[in-house]
Amino acid sequence: MKLRHMIWKELWQRPTPMLTSLLAVTLGVTALVAIQNITVFSERKIAGDMESLGANVLVLPPSVTLQDYYGADMHGQTMPEEYVTRLALARLPGVENLAPKLCVEAEVDTIPVTLTGILPRSEFQAKAAWQGLGMFGNAVGSDAGCCATAADTGTGDNDPNSLATTRTIAELGDRDVILGRDLANQLGAKAGDTLPLLGDDFTVLTVLPSTGTIDDGRIFAHLHSVQDLSGAGPVVNVIEIMACCEDAAGGLITDLSGELPETRIVTIAQVVQTQIAVNGLMSRLSWVFLSILLLVGGASIASVMYANVTERRKEIGTLMAIGASRNFVTQMFLGKAAVLGLAGGSAGFVVGTIVAAVLGPQLLGIHVRPMPMLLGVGMGTATIVAVAASLLPARRAAGLDPCLVFNE
């Protein structure tokens, strides 16, 4: 009988003892694949966000803990809108745009929505005291700033869709709203439709293109309209600052802290560094989980193999008596372990990829795809552990003396 036939027959006729070992190996590879998948695609998402956002700064209430850059105004705490005026009059170098926002909960036809108040650039330009500050492209006497963007050169000023990319908008009426793509699909609304909000009617100015962020599920309206209708008063949740130049952004944090010491200043670079550190920790933890579970699986495989050798001394002795060599017996046990390792690695890769594909969009808003490299890592690691754990039991089986076994 050929070696592979013996291995398959052994696994097929005695599957129960190996199930626990196979489960431990599978769980270890599953943890590795799932966490590594989420970590890799999370880092890619961060890189894309960083590239699209540029050097941006957030001004927040002092006690806020930032969890998500795009959800920075979801904390529920407020600060006076007067801070916006102070920043505008401070004429800090590198500040190209200010975007104060206030977020409140509302309903549209019994559907709960997040209504975000934003201040268009026309409001800044309308204030005589802010003219000539050199901060907004359409301001009287302003220069191009430290770098040319759509916000400061006038390009796209009349396009409300610029909110999706520049985080600011040139014009927005008191009773106009802008819908995120996902929310527009949910409401079945389009440009020109009328929506009831906070006891008043608003006209949909446009529907933003999909951004893949929390903004896809929001309604944007004029800040002062949201303040008045919600009864919140002249307050905001966050002030987003678009700092164009890297050199200016480098010293901007110190300047902002000196101008608004009663607030918390956070840069997108800090958010990215924090997320990268978390991703690094997750990646290391995945290897820890893999090591622990593979050690448990290896110990279980070794225990099962030792028990198998002890229980089947007569069968092994008979096999050797009819001509099986010691090498054949060793290969039979190691081959069985290798099959378990390959099966556990393959199953762990499939399950881990499915877990990452399900949890990635729900937890982090990222779309995860299979990573074939992890299939090789999972199968290779699981096979090495299984074979190493079976090495001593296999040598013990190969060392049996058929004569002594028959005497017993």
Side-chain angles (χ1 to χ4, degrees), residues 358-402:
V358 172
L359 295 182
Q362 295 181 357
L363 298 181
L364 298 175
I366 58 177
H367 297 284
V368 177
R369 296 184 299 275
M371 298 178 61
M373 177 190 67
L374 294 179
L375 175 61
V377 173
M379 293 178 63
T381 305
T383 302
I384 291 173
V385 170
V387 170
S390 303
L391 189 58
L392 290 179
R395 292 184 61 183
R396 181 183 178 188
L400 291 176
D401 188 337

Side-chain angles (χ1 to χ4, degrees), residues 20-345:
T20 303
S21 307
L22 181 62
L23 180 61
V25 173
T26 301
L27 288 177
V29 177
T30 296
L32 171 70
V33 172
I35 297 176
Q36 287 291 333
N37 260 301
I38 292 177
T39 299
V40 169
F41 284 96
S42 175
E43 290 175 351
R44 293 180 184 178
K45 179 178 182 293
I46 292 171
D49 289 347
M50 187 66 176
E51 182 179 353
S52 64
L53 290 172
N56 287 270
V57 182
L58 300 178
V59 180
L60 300 164
S63 58
V64 170
T65 299
L66 184 64
Q67 299 295 329
D68 178 14
Y69 173 80
Y70 282 97
D73 52 355
M74 298 293 290
H75 46 75
Q77 301 184 44
T78 60
M79 54 189 174
E81 186 185 353
E82 179 261 339
Y83 289 174
V84 182
T85 303
R86 288 168 57 180
L87 289 178
L89 295 176
R91 304 184 66 174
L92 300 178
V95 175
E96 295 293 326
N97 278 312
L98 298 175
K101 293 183 178 180
L102 174 66
C103 186
V104 299
E105 298 299 323
E107 289 187 354
V108 176
D109 296 331
T110 70
I111 298 177
V113 298
T114 299
L115 178 61
T116 300
I118 58 176
L119 198 62
R121 292 196 298 275
S122 59
E123 290 289 332
F124 292 92
Q125 298 154 13
K127 294 180 180 292
W130 295 0
Q131 297 293 325
L133 292 182
M135 184 166 59
F136 302 99
N138 293 336
V140 176
S142 68
D143 297 325
C146 54
C147 65
T149 65
D152 55 48
T153 62
T155 304
D157 274 355
N158 296 322
D159 183 9
N161 290 324
S162 64
L163 180 64
T165 54
T166 66
R167 312 286 284 173
T168 61
I169 187 172
E171 300 282 349
L172 185 63
D174 291 344
R175 290 300 180 266
D176 288 339
V177 293
I178 298 175
L179 301 184
R181 174 63 61 181
D182 292 347
L183 183 59
N185 293 338
Q186 182 182 1
L187 298 175
K190 59 183 183 302
D193 289 353
T194 300
L195 298 178
L197 276 170
L198 301 178
D200 209 334
D201 290 334
F202 287 78
T203 301
V204 178
L205 181 62
T206 188
V207 176
L208 295 175
S210 179
T211 63
T213 69
I214 194 174
D215 287 352
D216 289 341
R218 294 192 183 196
I219 296 181
F220 296 91
H222 198 289
L223 175 64
H224 296 158
S225 298
V226 175
Q227 290 172 338
D228 294 340
L229 295 178
S230 66
V235 296
V236 296
N237 297 125
V238 63
I239 303 173
E240 293 184 356
I241 299 176
M242 286 46 162
C244 185
C245 297
E246 294 183 2
D247 293 340
L252 185 58
I253 304 303
T254 303
D255 296 338
L256 288 171
S257 299
E259 186 65 31
L260 295 176
E262 57 273 72
T263 63
R264 180 184 179 189
I265 312 298
V266 179
T267 66
I268 185 62
Q270 291 173 315
V271 177
V272 170
Q273 290 171 0
T274 301
Q275 186 62 52
I276 290 176
V278 172
N279 286 343
L281 177 61
M282 290 176 58
S283 179
R284 290 189 292 272
L285 283 176
S286 70
W287 290 104
V288 172
F289 292 150
L290 175 69
S291 302
I292 294 175
L293 291 173
L294 285 184
L295 284 175
V296 173
S300 178
I301 291 174
S303 176
V304 169
M305 289 293 187
Y306 267 117
N308 192 249
V309 171
T310 302
E311 294 171 358
R312 303 179 58 206
R313 287 172 58 86
K314 291 183 179 180
E315 296 179 33
I316 297 171
T318 302
L319 187 64
M320 297 178 70
I322 61 177
S325 65
R326 297 180 185 276
N327 188 48
F328 182 90
V329 174
T330 301
Q331 290 179 3
M332 183 178 68
F333 279 90
L334 295 183
K336 183 166 61 173
V339 171
L340 285 174
L342 292 172

